[in-house]
Structures are given as structure tokens and as C-alpha cells.
Amino acid sequence: MTVIAVLGLALALSMDAFAVAVASGCALRAPSRRQYLRLSGAFGFFQFAMPVLGWALGLSVRGYMEAWDHWIAFVLLAWIGGKMVVSGSAAWRGRASCTRPTVDPAAGRNLLLLSVATSVDALAVGLSFAVLGAPVWGPAFCIGLVCAMVTACGVFLGKTLANTCALNAWAELLGGLTLLAIACNILREHNAFG
């Protein structure tokens, strides 16, 4: 696999992470350096680890993972998105302010779930590396590094979009709705609706 092909693959795999990072930056409104590092580090690490894991699993479970990977990503993204929608629903009731969100996508279980959800497709890429007999370590490192950088850019863009108090009132709600839309789109892309 050429360097250009690996970079293209890394960018393609990072698009879900980018969208989630924008939603997270918008919800956080003023992410701290620690939140940037957590989101970028976790998303990058999981994008690195999943191809390696998929490669290690090889052909033994390929059919099973391909049948269920989109449902796993859907459930994880829908759960976090739903929590953000509930938390941000004060905007619908007209009582929102410029306070920080109650759901922090850069902490604890939320961070873990988002990291797994945005990297499940990289597991399938690792499986395909095993089928092709291609090396995995170099491409996995590149995928993880590109994803970490793309995630940081996404968080910054989300923060920039949420820099006014008027948008702050809706930011967490919009972020949650975005995650729900991404979750539904994953099912649509895998023809889960028939």
C-alpha cells in the first residue's frame, strides 16, 4: 500500500471522528487543553489500535464483525447523542444560559464510547489488511496520527462555531442531534433499513 493510499485511508477513517469532534467542541463551547488532548489522544489511539486488533483477529471472525460493526457504532453514538440532547433540552424550554454542558464528551465513559464508536470501521480495515497479507503497524500508526490531528481541528472548529452566547444555548442540543444523525447515517450506509 502506497503512502498516498494510506493517507487517503487515514483521512477517510477520520471523518466520523471529525464530525464527532466538531459536535463535541460545539457542546463544550470552550474546551480546555486537557479536553483537546483527551479527545485527540483517545480518538487517535483507538484509530491506531482497531486496525491492529482487526489484523490480529484475521479471517476467523470477519463475517461476524462485518455483520454487526455498524450496529455497535450506532448504539454507542446514539447513546451519547441522546444524553447530550436530554442535557441540552433546556434550550427548547427557553431556559438555557451560557453555562458549561452537563455531558462532557471528553471524560470517562463518554470518551471511551465515542472513541470506540468512531473507530469500529478501522477494525474492518485491519481485517482487510490480514486478508491481503499487508503489514499493519505502519498504516495503523499513520491512521492514528492523522485521526488525532483531524480530531483536534474538529474540536477547534466546533469551539469556533459555538463562540456566541446565542449559539451556546443550543450547542449541546445541536451536538447531540448531530451524533444521532451520524448514528443513523451509519445504518443507512450499511443498508440496515432494507
Side-chain angles (χ1 to χ4, degrees):
M1 190 172 247
T2 67
V3 173
I4 299 297
V6 170
L7 286 174
L9 178 63
L11 284 172
L13 289 173
S14 297
M15 288 302 101
D16 282 349
F18 178 75
V20 171
V22 170
S24 298
C26 200
L28 292 169
R29 298 190 275 277
S32 67
R33 182 176 297 163
R34 175 180 264 168
Q35 289 168 320
Y36 269 103
L37 289 174
R38 277 193 222 148
L39 282 165
S40 297
F43 284 16
F45 173 76
F46 274 85
Q47 285 285 2
F48 160 77
M50 287 295 202
V52 173
L53 178 62
W55 179 77
L57 292 174
L59 293 174
S60 61
V61 295
R62 181 177 180 199
Y64 179 75
M65 284 306 299
E66 287 177 347
W68 292 98
D69 64 349
H70 53 284
W71 287 105
I72 294 166
F74 170 79
V75 168
L76 297 175
L77 287 172
W79 182 15
I80 299 296
K83 285 174 62 176
M84 289 174 71
V85 166
V86 169
S87 176
S89 66
W92 285 103
R93 296 189 301 265
R95 292 186 270 137
S97 65
C98 290
T99 58
R100 294 188 61 80
T102 58
V103 176
D104 183 358
R109 185 177 0 154
N110 294 334
L111 179 61
L112 178 64
L113 293 176
L114 289 174
S115 298
V116 171
T118 58
S119 63
V120 169
D121 51 352
L123 184 71
V125 168
L127 288 169
S128 65
F129 282 165
V131 170
L132 297 172
V136 72
W137 293 102
F141 179 76
C142 180
I143 290 167
L145 185 62
V146 167
C147 183
M149 293 187 303
V150 165
T151 299
C153 292
V155 173
F156 180 78
L157 178 60
K159 175 187 120 176
T160 303
L161 292 174
N163 66 1
T164 63
C165 191
L167 184 55
N168 281 347
W170 296 90
E172 191 170 12
L173 180 64
L174 291 174
L177 291 173
T178 300
L179 293 183
L180 290 172
I182 293 168
C184 291
N185 188 52
I186 287 170
L187 292 183
R188 183 193 61 78
E189 287 175 350
H190 287 84
N191 297 319
F193 299 123

